[in-house]
Amino acid sequence: MKITQRVKKILANYESDNPGTKTKLARMLMHGRLGGTGHMVILPVDQGFEHGPARSFAPNPPAYDPHYHFQLAVDAGLSAYAAPLGMIEAGAASFTGAVPTILKLNSSTSHATSKDQAITGSVGDALRLGCSAIGFTIYPAADDQFEMFEEIQELAEEAKSVGLAVVVWSYPRGGNLSKEGETAIDVCAYAAQIAALLGAHIIKVKPPTAHIEQPEARKVYEAQGIDVSTLTARIAHVIQSAFNGRRLVVFSGGAAKGLDGLFDEIRQIRDGGATGSIIGRNTFQRPRDEALVMLDTIINIYKGRA
Amino acid sequence: MKITQRVKKILANYESDNPGTKTKLARMLMHGRLGGTGHMVILPVDQGFEHGPARSFAPNPPAYDPHYHFQLAVDAGLSAYAAPLGMIEAGAASFTGAVPTILKLNSSTSHATSKDQAITGSVGDALRLGCSAIGFTIYPAADDQFEMFEEIQELAEEAKSVGLAVVVWSYPRGGNLSKEGETAIDVCAYAAQIAALLGAHIIKVKPPTAHIEQPEARKVYEAQGIDVSTLTARIAHVIQSAFNGRRLVVFSGGAAKGLDGLFDEIRQIRDGGATGSIIGRNTFQRPRDEALVMLDTIINIYKGRA
Amino acid sequence: MKITQRVKKILANYESDNPGTKTKLARMLMHGRLGGTGHMVILPVDQGFEHGPARSFAPNPPAYDPHYHFQLAVDAGLSAYAAPLGMIEAGAASFTGAVPTILKLNSSTSHATSKDQAITGSVGDALRLGCSAIGFTIYPAADDQFEMFEEIQELAEEAKSVGLAVVVWSYPRGGNLSKEGETAIDVCAYAAQIAALLGAHIIKVKPPTAHIEQPEARKVYEAQGIDVSTLTARIAHVIQSAFNGRRLVVFSGGAAKGLDGLFDEIRQIRDGGATGSIIGRNTFQRPRDEALVMLDTIINIYKGRA
Amino acid sequence: MKITQRVKKILANYESDNPGTKTKLARMLMHGRLGGTGHMVILPVDQGFEHGPARSFAPNPPAYDPHYHFQLAVDAGLSAYAAPLGMIEAGAASFTGAVPTILKLNSSTSHATSKDQAITGSVGDALRLGCSAIGFTIYPAADDQFEMFEEIQELAEEAKSVGLAVVVWSYPRGGNLSKEGETAIDVCAYAAQIAALLGAHIIKVKPPTAHIEQPEARKVYEAQGIDVSTLTARIAHVIQSAFNGRRLVVFSGGAAKGLDGLFDEIRQIRDGGATGSIIGRNTFQRPRDEALVMLDTIINIYKGRA
Amino acid sequence: MKITQRVKKILANYESDNPGTKTKLARMLMHGRLGGTGHMVILPVDQGFEHGPARSFAPNPPAYDPHYHFQLAVDAGLSAYAAPLGMIEAGAASFTGAVPTILKLNSSTSHATSKDQAITGSVGDALRLGCSAIGFTIYPAADDQFEMFEEIQELAEEAKSVGLAVVVWSYPRGGNLSKEGETAIDVCAYAAQIAALLGAHIIKVKPPTAHIEQPEARKVYEAQGIDVSTLTARIAHVIQSAFNGRRLVVFSGGAAKGLDGLFDEIRQIRDGGATGSIIGRNTFQRPRDEALVMLDTIINIYKGRA
């Protein structure tokens, strides 16, 4: 595998990491149909934990089987597959080397009565399962935000020391935040900044709206004339907030919409300078053939061909 | 001991486990009268902790003696015997090699004022007592659910690293859950999914009712037409929720009923694809002779002969 | 020292313990005037912590001196002496080998505003002080019961690994328990069961009353016709609840009474099958000569001579 | 690099530190345009965490890039650059040896609902990134003050053992403190004292006002006639409170003011005997050229030339 | 240095300690003008933490300098000097071997909103700074008393294992205790007992009043006719409560009074059998010459010459 100039340039941004971690980043950036382009499309499957099995898999029953998702990620030529412990354990040997995996180390349930997650995996688990990265969700603004920051601080330090990459899902919620504020542009850019400051290599945030949540921030956005009028502009602002593009940022799908709306949104995300997309339910809740067609289009969008 | 094809197939589902852990799973699956069939009947005796000695053993006083249960499990040809620390310590040497044991690592009491359990044993205890597996109870939905998930995450990782198997009792309760919801089909399937995601090798849940607890889940069950009309159908849905059958699932006895009702229930559990049954009070609260007869029938049910 | 058949039989019940721990149990069972009989009388002196020095020692001022209690235990021919860290440190060298010691590892004060105890010693302390056992108090039913169970789980595992015995004071209190319920027969038998399940070698409980606290338990006691009419019958039920006599159980003195009342109570405790008595204030709050006479009678009761 | 007499004298005040830590202190004291003078000007960039990216960097967009701050600190000839994990990781290799760095090990966000900070870095991180010191914020008076003291106690002990210096931001807030009290002279002097007692090598406090917050302190200030009438006198009192000048103390900028006001304040800080200034937003929120001019003047003030 | 018979007798009371710890006790007991007499006068300087710098040092400004206190302790011929981390670090090398030091390992501030202290030093710190002992404050009766007991249990065990002595400040407060009760004779004697039981070598308590706080204790004090009528009698009762004199007990100064009142109080403390005095503010808040004269008189009182 010959690392492309584009990927070399990205890796150079991770200047403090050891060769082990850089190798894992390279593995994800060079894998699949977007390999070498600097773009990534990741398949995350943690809905079984978050929403339960029926809500996650009943629309497409083959997806109850953990092998289904590995195979889908392989066949679609995705960059990586992210899931909690049991899902990875159930397929890690069958799909050894077939697709880079990201072990989600914390999880929540729809039963949860607080804005927090449980640690459900370890760096040791990620190593024994041959994963390329650990994944971790933080809830900036939540009453437990500091505990979550401290957890990822410890896990990330350990992961980096053993040559793994770190992916942070940064989802503001809880505390004094309004529901609308969870996807506000100021809050989303802040979430990307926090993840970067915590040492994430790859940051996952939601596509932001034009809403501005914090009064102190609003003053600055207005005074400085920060453009938040289009999604592309907002994405660009988030990328800027991730160390001016020195960190990889992938975006989840936004609110429910048709395929055309999704593709259009992804084009804007791409045009804003995003690394790529991380698409879960939209993928595995469709019949496999439809999912493969959809992912093909998304990949082509990032290749600039759609 | 020649491993049967059926058991080899099951073991293949535990593809990330080391040979030590697979050996312990094989030991339980190849032991007793159901050895080699892929089915299991397990004797759990943790009622002394949960309800106190008189409520547990007075109906059949020889059961006050820890040796009684080892001997019963041996004579009935069961697959394994599960109990808390003191119970195993009191017989582990006398019954060395006679029956696989599962050390229950957490326990509650009927005095408890919160939905939680205390850690009352360790992986080190399980090793020094020659156990095949650790057992652990989680209460999905409870206010302390995340703490329990984190406890089993650490214990399971340690257990797997030293070649032990992991059995998780997944009993939803507490939090916002209604009493009826504790055995609702959506909640029970979710409980199996959570245990699987946490890395359990063997999952114990209760036989589910047709009630659906969570409104968001109800929508999906109705929209997708998931069959919850018969116990057999519900069991099949739970098995599906345990990684589409890649994880062993055993069911406790349901509400109190006569022997015929029990046998009928177990036939439905079997027909739904369950691994087997885990039967405590129904076993040791009867005179020994009656218990042996009852277990003989249950075993025959799983052999397809009753 | 030639181990008697009676003691060999008792030691055989501790079948999972290593020779180090069995040696410590043998040391206590073979020591003093009851050595070899299978009975024990233990001197506990933790009242200084629980009630303060004046309430504990002013009635017999020589008892302010830690050496007093060592000497008393030696001269009375008792089986062991139990006390908190400072008390043992202050005499452990002077009385090396003179009497087995039990280091109490947790303690409370009369200032306490919650039902809990502080850890005030360690297994390492017990080892460096040449103790035979660690002692630990649990409060089944208390809001902090689970924390206490987890503490003794860890301490007991460590103690057993280094060849020490484990003595558990099981004193129900707090939570939903009534004052009368603290010594109810169902609660006391349950307390013995919990200590046994937690892995205690020697269990200390209070002599139970005929009161039954828990409604669910009352149903069983009545349905099964469990005899709780005499202290002897109740003691026998507690012993039964301690793994059917596989665990040593000692009883503290009950409510204040005259010496004749005390001796009569101890005869009933003995007749119920108890291992022995653990007598603190009743011993050291008397003049030394009177205490020695009293202990002589108690020992003779356990020898069947009084 | 020949250590000046002035710096040797300062280093002598750190008489309990090992040569490794003294070397790091020397590195900061000998670096930049103030090298050798005993004065320091430090660039701290933790506003991205505290206030979010737009509020921090939008006024001067090149500052979104972590390299910007390294370069600014280098070009201005500053003594050191302090920032959280991600900021240092993103430039530590490119600027190896170019400027001493201080890794901020805890951080807060503007979402925070309590007066506390999260641990967001480790001593190990500081070592692998080649930092000269760790930085840590305490909030004396906050409800969580003791937890913060305990965190820095552990981190400082570890840092000193591996030859790093310790910089403590001592910012009173929370608890019973009024808003005005946060910068009161008694509270600020106390904050410096606490940081010194906790073992800080370099202490950062805010310039104090003449307000006296604590009634018990007011009595003493009045009885002893402590001069708090001018900023210079108050600075001198803070320096006195930092072990009579045995610890380095740097001051942040006070309330918003024009450049002339800032320079005048810094002259008073200098005249009070301060080690130097630590200037964040005032620096990086200006265009780079203006910032360099401003820093040049500040450095000249400390050189006694402005 | 030839150990006196008096000191040898005292050291014999610490019969469980290793030679390292005994050496440290001997170092303090043989140092200064009271060396060899069995008496001690200790200088504690933790007021900077507890009350802030101005309230502590403004009455005698040279005392802002940590060296001042070392020198004062040396020149007055005191037995030891106790202070928090920063104070010891700032002089430990300059005064190596000049006076035994006690590192205070926990501290509070006047901002505190709860009855607790923060851990602000470690046993490792005490070792690297060449200290003879660790110091630790407990608040018997406080809501956090058990946490404090557990902290000193761990620290004391570690200190003893590395040959350090343990000094416990036992200051009842909080919980259900009245203000008057903090110095009540029953509470003070209990505080000494608790410190002794926790394994303290040297115990610091306040001189008790004749008030009796706890109703249960009052009954015993009256029934047993314990003499609490004079300070000398009360001191003797406290000493008795410290293992009948087997533990060293030093007393802080009582309520504010003139020098004559102080000397008279110390004579009574001495006559009650106390080991000595620990005098902070009364010492360093006077001009140095006056302090030396005062300490000279106090030392002479303990020598029986004043």
Side-chain angles (χ1 to χ4, degrees):
Chain A
M1 182 174 69
K2 188 147 185 304
I3 308 297
T4 61
Q5 287 305 314
R6 174 74 193 123
V7 170
K8 281 187 183 169
K9 188 150 185 284
I10 291 170
L11 293 177
N13 284 333
Y14 297 93
E15 57 182 68
S16 70
D17 284 297
N18 63 28
T21 295
K22 285 187 181 177
T23 298
K24 300 306 183 307
L25 286 168
R27 185 177 296 170
M28 291 186 281
L29 286 162
M30 293 304 296
H31 187 85
R33 290 179 54 208
L34 286 168
T37 66
H39 286 292
M40 304 176 83
V41 174
I42 298 172
L43 174 65
V45 187
D46 50 1
Q47 277 74 18
F49 231 129
E50 303 273 336
H51 298 147
R55 285 175 63 194
S56 303
F57 307 127
N60 178 34
Y64 280 108
D65 186 337
H67 281 211
Y68 176 85
H69 305 281
F70 278 94
Q71 193 66 55
L72 186 65
V74 170
D75 292 346
L78 302 188
S79 311
Y81 166 53
L85 183 67
M87 293 289 273
I88 301 292
E89 286 185 325
S94 295
F95 293 88
T96 299
V99 60
T101 53
I102 301 166
L103 185 64
K104 237 345 248 336
L105 296 192
N106 64 347
S107 308
S108 186
T109 76
S110 68
H111 295 300
T113 53
S114 67
K115 299 292 186 201
D116 194 7
Q117 296 213 344
I119 305 282
T120 57
S122 73
V123 171
D125 287 326
L127 286 175
R128 73 176 167 89
L129 295 170
C131 301
S132 295
I134 60 166
F136 195 88
T137 298
I138 56 173
Y139 294 152
D143 292 337
D144 289 324
Q145 66 171 336
F146 286 170
E147 286 72 16
M148 298 183 99
F149 294 174
E150 296 187 352
E151 288 167 346
I152 184 57
Q153 187 277 320
E154 290 187 16
L155 292 168
E157 184 179 5
E158 185 185 357
K160 291 172 186 175
S161 74
V162 296
L164 293 175
V166 175
V167 185
V168 171
W169 277 242
S170 195
Y171 284 177
R173 63 185 62 176
N176 297 324
L177 216 56
S178 72
K179 187 69 193 168
E180 193 184 10
E182 294 180 2
T183 50
I185 176 61
D186 60 323
V187 171
C188 184
Y190 199 169
Q193 169 84 0
I194 289 171
L197 289 170
L198 288 167
H201 298 106
I202 302 175
I203 297 163
K204 178 190 175 187
V205 287
K206 293 184 180 170
T209 66
H211 174 62
I212 298 177
E213 171 82 357
Q214 298 192 296
E216 289 296 318
R218 179 186 306 275
K219 286 182 211 161
V220 173
Y221 277 79
E222 290 173 359
Q224 302 296 336
I226 300 174
D227 182 5
V228 300
S229 61
T230 65
L231 179 56
T232 294
R234 294 192 295 272
I235 296 291
H237 178 59
V238 171
I239 301 300
Q240 190 182 40
S241 298
F243 292 173
N244 215 27
R246 289 182 184 274
R247 294 293 171 261
L248 296 165
V249 184
V250 294
F251 291 83
S252 54
K257 62 195 79 72
L259 273 185
D260 285 347
L262 175 70
F263 296 148
D264 189 54
E265 183 181 272
I266 290 175
R267 276 186 206 98
Q268 294 176 68
I269 289 172
R270 175 200 63 193
D271 293 345
T275 301
S277 290
I278 179 159
I279 311 232
R281 272 173 292 177
N282 243 329
T283 301
F284 62 76
Q285 291 189 340
R286 295 173 195 279
R288 181 179 144 87
D289 289 348
E290 294 180 23
L292 288 172
V293 170
M294 179 193 77
L295 291 169
D296 179 65
T297 303
I298 292 172
I299 285 169
N300 283 331
I301 290 172
Y302 281 109
K303 286 189 165 181
R305 301 177 187 165
Chain B
M1 183 174 67
K2 189 148 184 306
I3 308 296
T4 61
Q5 286 305 313
R6 174 74 192 122
V7 170
K8 281 187 184 169
K9 189 150 183 285
I10 291 170
L11 293 176
N13 284 332
Y14 296 93
E15 58 182 69
S16 71
D17 283 297
N18 64 27
T21 295
K22 285 187 179 175
T23 298
K24 302 305 184 307
L25 286 167
R27 185 177 295 170
M28 291 187 281
L29 286 163
M30 293 303 297
H31 187 85
R33 290 178 53 209
L34 286 167
T37 66
H39 286 292
M40 304 177 83
V41 174
I42 298 172
L43 174 65
V45 188
D46 50 1
Q47 278 74 19
F49 230 130
E50 303 273 336
H51 299 147
R55 286 174 63 193
S56 303
F57 307 127
N60 178 35
Y64 279 108
D65 186 338
H67 281 210
Y68 176 85
H69 306 281
F70 279 94
Q71 194 66 55
L72 186 66
V74 170
D75 291 346
L78 302 188
S79 311
Y81 164 54
L85 183 68
M87 293 290 272
I88 300 292
E89 286 185 327
S94 295
F95 293 88
T96 299
V99 60
T101 53
I102 300 166
L103 184 64
K104 239 342 251 336
L105 296 194
N106 63 347
S107 308
S108 187
T109 76
S110 67
H111 295 300
T113 53
S114 67
K115 300 291 186 201
D116 194 5
Q117 296 214 342
I119 305 282
T120 58
S122 72
V123 170
D125 287 325
L127 286 174
R128 72 176 167 88
L129 295 170
C131 301
S132 295
I134 61 166
F136 195 87
T137 298
I138 56 173
Y139 293 152
D143 292 336
D144 289 324
Q145 65 171 338
F146 286 170
E147 286 72 17
M148 298 183 98
F149 294 175
E150 295 187 352
E151 288 167 345
I152 184 56
Q153 187 276 321
E154 289 187 17
L155 292 168
E157 183 179 5
E158 185 186 356
K160 291 172 186 176
S161 74
V162 296
L164 293 174
V166 176
V167 185
V168 171
W169 276 243
S170 194
Y171 284 177
R173 65 185 61 178
N176 296 325
L177 215 56
S178 72
K179 187 70 193 168
E180 194 183 9
E182 294 180 2
T183 50
I185 177 60
D186 59 323
V187 172
C188 184
Y190 198 170
Q193 168 85 0
I194 289 171
L197 288 170
L198 288 167
H201 299 105
I202 302 175
I203 297 162
K204 178 191 176 188
V205 288
K206 293 184 180 170
T209 67
H211 175 62
I212 297 177
E213 172 82 357
Q214 298 192 297
E216 288 297 317
R218 179 185 306 274
K219 285 181 213 164
V220 172
Y221 277 79
E222 290 173 358
Q224 302 296 336
I226 299 174
D227 182 5
V228 299
S229 60
T230 65
L231 180 55
T232 294
R234 295 192 294 270
I235 295 291
H237 179 58
V238 171
I239 300 302
Q240 189 182 40
S241 298
F243 291 173
N244 215 27
R246 289 182 184 273
R247 293 293 172 260
L248 296 165
V249 184
V250 293
F251 290 83
S252 53
K257 62 194 79 74
L259 272 185
D260 286 347
L262 177 70
F263 295 148
D264 190 55
E265 184 181 271
I266 290 175
R267 276 184 207 98
Q268 294 176 68
I269 289 172
R270 175 201 62 194
D271 292 345
T275 300
S277 290
I278 179 158
I279 310 232
R281 273 173 290 177
N282 243 329
T283 300
F284 63 74
Q285 291 190 341
R286 295 172 194 280
R288 180 178 146 88
D289 289 348
E290 294 179 23
L292 289 172
V293 170
M294 179 192 77
L295 291 169
D296 179 64
T297 304
I298 292 172
I299 285 169
N300 282 331
I301 290 172
Y302 281 109
K303 286 189 164 182
R305 301 175 185 166
Chain C
M1 182 174 67
K2 190 150 185 305
I3 308 297
T4 62
Q5 287 305 313
R6 174 73 193 123
V7 169
K8 281 188 183 167
K9 190 149 182 285
I10 290 169
L11 293 177
N13 284 331
Y14 297 93
E15 57 181 71
S16 70
D17 283 298
N18 64 27
T21 295
K22 286 186 179 177
T23 298
K24 300 306 183 307
L25 287 167
R27 186 176 294 170
M28 291 186 281
L29 286 162
M30 294 303 297
H31 187 85
R33 291 179 54 209
L34 286 168
T37 66
H39 286 292
M40 304 177 84
V41 174
I42 297 172
L43 174 65
V45 187
D46 51 0
Q47 278 74 17
F49 230 130
E50 304 272 336
H51 299 147
R55 284 175 64 194
S56 302
F57 307 128
N60 179 33
Y64 280 107
D65 186 338
H67 281 210
Y68 176 84
H69 305 282
F70 278 94
Q71 195 64 56
L72 186 66
V74 170
D75 292 346
L78 302 188
S79 311
Y81 165 54
L85 182 68
M87 292 289 272
I88 300 292
E89 286 185 326
S94 295
F95 293 88
T96 299
V99 60
T101 52
I102 301 166
L103 185 64
K104 239 343 249 340
L105 295 194
N106 63 348
S107 308
S108 188
T109 76
S110 67
H111 295 299
T113 53
S114 67
K115 301 291 186 201
D116 193 6
Q117 296 213 343
I119 305 283
T120 58
S122 72
V123 170
D125 288 325
L127 286 174
R128 73 176 167 90
L129 296 169
C131 300
S132 295
I134 60 166
F136 195 88
T137 298
I138 57 173
Y139 293 152
D143 291 337
D144 289 324
Q145 65 171 337
F146 287 169
E147 285 72 17
M148 298 183 99
F149 294 175
E150 296 187 352
E151 288 167 345
I152 185 56
Q153 188 277 321
E154 289 187 17
L155 291 168
E157 184 178 6
E158 185 186 356
K160 291 172 186 176
S161 75
V162 296
L164 294 174
V166 176
V167 185
V168 171
W169 275 243
S170 194
Y171 283 178
R173 66 185 60 177
N176 296 326
L177 216 56
S178 72
K179 187 70 193 168
E180 193 183 9
E182 294 180 2
T183 51
I185 176 60
D186 60 322
V187 171
C188 183
Y190 198 170
Q193 169 84 2
I194 288 170
L197 288 170
L198 288 168
H201 298 106
I202 303 176
I203 297 161
K204 179 190 175 188
V205 287
K206 293 184 181 170
T209 67
H211 175 61
I212 297 177
E213 172 82 357
Q214 298 193 297
E216 288 297 318
R218 179 185 305 275
K219 286 182 210 161
V220 172
Y221 277 79
E222 289 173 359
Q224 302 295 336
I226 299 174
D227 182 5
V228 299
S229 62
T230 65
L231 180 56
T232 294
R234 295 191 294 271
I235 295 291
H237 178 60
V238 171
I239 300 302
Q240 189 182 40
S241 298
F243 291 172
N244 215 27
R246 288 182 184 273
R247 293 293 172 262
L248 297 165
V249 184
V250 294
F251 290 83
S252 54
K257 63 194 80 71
L259 272 185
D260 286 348
L262 176 69
F263 295 147
D264 189 54
E265 185 181 271
I266 290 175
R267 278 186 204 98
Q268 295 176 67
I269 289 171
R270 174 201 63 194
D271 293 346
T275 300
S277 290
I278 180 158
I279 311 232
R281 272 172 291 176
N282 243 329
T283 301
F284 63 74
Q285 290 190 342
R286 296 173 196 278
R288 181 178 144 87
D289 289 348
E290 293 180 24
L292 288 172
V293 170
M294 180 192 76
L295 291 169
D296 179 64
T297 304
I298 292 172
I299 285 169
N300 282 330
I301 290 172
Y302 281 109
K303 286 189 164 179
R305 300 177 186 165
Chain D
M1 182 174 68
K2 189 149 185 302
I3 308 297
T4 61
Q5 287 304 313
R6 175 74 194 123
V7 169
K8 281 187 183 169
K9 189 148 183 285
I10 290 170
L11 293 177
N13 284 332
Y14 296 93
E15 56 181 70
S16 69
D17 282 298
N18 63 27
T21 296
K22 286 187 180 176
T23 298
K24 300 306 183 308
L25 286 167
R27 186 177 295 170
M28 291 186 281
L29 285 163
M30 293 304 296
H31 187 86
R33 290 179 54 207
L34 286 168
T37 65
H39 286 292
M40 303 177 83
V41 174
I42 298 171
L43 174 65
V45 187
D46 50 1
Q47 278 74 18
F49 231 129
E50 303 273 336
H51 299 148
R55 285 175 62 195
S56 304
F57 307 127
N60 179 35
Y64 280 108
D65 187 338
H67 280 212
Y68 177 84
H69 306 282
F70 278 94
Q71 194 65 55
L72 185 67
V74 170
D75 292 345
L78 303 187
S79 311
Y81 165 53
L85 183 66
M87 292 289 272
I88 300 292
E89 286 185 326
S94 295
F95 293 88
T96 299
V99 59
T101 52
I102 301 166
L103 184 64
K104 240 340 250 339
L105 297 193
N106 63 348
S107 309
S108 187
T109 77
S110 68
H111 294 301
T113 54
S114 68
K115 300 292 186 200
D116 194 6
Q117 296 214 342
I119 305 282
T120 57
S122 72
V123 170
D125 287 325
L127 286 174
R128 72 177 167 90
L129 295 170
C131 301
S132 294
I134 61 166
F136 195 88
T137 298
I138 56 173
Y139 294 151
D143 292 337
D144 289 325
Q145 65 171 337
F146 286 170
E147 285 72 18
M148 298 183 98
F149 294 175
E150 296 187 352
E151 288 167 345
I152 184 56
Q153 187 277 321
E154 290 187 16
L155 292 169
E157 184 178 5
E158 185 186 356
K160 291 173 186 175
S161 74
V162 295
L164 294 174
V166 176
V167 185
V168 171
W169 276 242
S170 193
Y171 284 177
R173 65 185 61 178
N176 296 324
L177 216 56
S178 72
K179 188 68 193 171
E180 194 184 9
E182 294 180 2
T183 51
I185 177 60
D186 60 323
V187 171
C188 184
Y190 199 169
Q193 169 84 1
I194 288 171
L197 288 169
L198 288 168
H201 297 106
I202 302 175
I203 297 162
K204 179 190 175 187
V205 287
K206 293 184 180 171
T209 67
H211 174 61
I212 297 177
E213 171 82 356
Q214 297 193 296
E216 289 297 317
R218 180 185 305 275
K219 286 182 210 161
V220 172
Y221 276 79
E222 290 173 359
Q224 302 295 337
I226 299 175
D227 182 6
V228 301
S229 61
T230 64
L231 179 56
T232 294
R234 295 192 294 271
I235 296 291
H237 178 60
V238 171
I239 301 300
Q240 190 182 39
S241 297
F243 292 174
N244 215 25
R246 288 181 185 276
R247 293 294 171 260
L248 296 165
V249 184
V250 294
F251 290 83
S252 54
K257 62 193 79 70
L259 272 185
D260 286 346
L262 176 70
F263 296 147
D264 189 53
E265 184 181 271
I266 291 175
R267 278 185 205 98
Q268 295 176 68
I269 289 171
R270 175 201 63 194
D271 292 345
T275 300
S277 290
I278 179 159
I279 311 232
R281 272 171 291 176
N282 244 329
T283 301
F284 63 75
Q285 291 189 340
R286 295 173 196 280
R288 181 180 144 86
D289 288 347
E290 293 180 23
L292 288 172
V293 170
M294 180 192 77
L295 291 169
D296 178 66
T297 304
I298 292 172
I299 285 169
N300 283 330
I301 291 172
Y302 281 109
K303 286 189 164 182
R305 300 178 186 164
Chain E
M1 182 175 66
K2 189 150 185 304
I3 308 297
T4 61
Q5 287 304 313
R6 175 72 194 125
V7 169
K8 282 187 182 168
K9 190 149 183 287
I10 290 170
L11 293 177
N13 284 332
Y14 297 92
E15 57 181 70
S16 70
D17 282 298
N18 63 28
T21 295
K22 285 187 180 178
T23 298
K24 301 307 183 305
L25 286 168
R27 185 176 297 171
M28 291 187 280
L29 286 162
M30 294 302 297
H31 187 85
R33 290 179 54 209
L34 285 168
T37 67
H39 286 292
M40 303 177 83
V41 174
I42 297 171
L43 174 65
V45 187
D46 50 1
Q47 278 74 18
F49 231 129
E50 304 272 337
H51 299 148
R55 285 175 63 194
S56 303
F57 308 126
N60 178 34
Y64 279 107
D65 187 338
H67 281 211
Y68 176 84
H69 305 281
F70 279 93
Q71 194 64 56
L72 186 66
V74 169
D75 292 345
L78 302 187
S79 312
Y81 165 55
L85 183 67
M87 292 289 272
I88 300 292
E89 285 185 327
S94 295
F95 294 88
T96 299
V99 59
T101 53
I102 301 166
L103 184 64
K104 236 347 245 342
L105 296 193
N106 63 347
S107 308
S108 187
T109 76
S110 68
H111 294 301
T113 54
S114 66
K115 301 291 186 200
D116 193 7
Q117 296 214 343
I119 305 282
T120 57
S122 73
V123 170
D125 288 326
L127 286 174
R128 72 177 167 88
L129 295 170
C131 301
S132 295
I134 62 166
F136 195 88
T137 298
I138 56 172
Y139 293 151
D143 291 337
D144 289 324
Q145 64 171 338
F146 287 169
E147 285 72 17
M148 298 183 99
F149 294 175
E150 296 187 352
E151 288 167 346
I152 184 58
Q153 187 276 322
E154 290 187 17
L155 291 169
E157 184 179 5
E158 185 186 357
K160 291 172 186 176
S161 75
V162 295
L164 294 175
V166 176
V167 186
V168 172
W169 276 243
S170 194
Y171 283 178
R173 65 185 60 179
N176 297 325
L177 216 56
S178 72
K179 187 70 192 170
E180 193 183 9
E182 294 180 1
T183 52
I185 176 60
D186 61 322
V187 171
C188 184
Y190 199 170
Q193 169 83 3
I194 289 171
L197 288 169
L198 288 168
H201 298 106
I202 302 176
I203 297 162
K204 179 190 175 188
V205 287
K206 293 184 181 171
T209 67
H211 175 61
I212 297 177
E213 172 82 356
Q214 297 192 298
E216 288 298 318
R218 180 185 305 275
K219 286 182 209 162
V220 172
Y221 277 79
E222 289 173 359
Q224 302 295 338
I226 299 174
D227 183 6
V228 301
S229 61
T230 64
L231 180 55
T232 294
R234 295 192 294 271
I235 296 291
H237 178 59
V238 171
I239 300 301
Q240 190 182 40
S241 298
F243 291 173
N244 215 27
R246 286 182 186 275
R247 294 292 172 261
L248 296 165
V249 184
V250 294
F251 290 83
S252 54
K257 62 193 79 71
L259 272 185
D260 286 347
L262 176 69
F263 295 148
D264 189 54
E265 185 181 270
I266 290 175
R267 277 186 206 98
Q268 294 176 68
I269 288 172
R270 174 200 64 194
D271 293 345
T275 300
S277 290
I278 179 158
I279 310 233
R281 272 172 291 176
N282 244 327
T283 300
F284 62 74
Q285 291 190 341
R286 295 172 195 281
R288 179 179 146 88
D289 289 348
E290 294 179 23
L292 289 171
V293 169
M294 180 192 76
L295 291 169
D296 179 65
T297 303
I298 292 171
I299 285 169
N300 282 331
I301 289 172
Y302 280 109
K303 286 189 164 181
R305 299 178 186 165

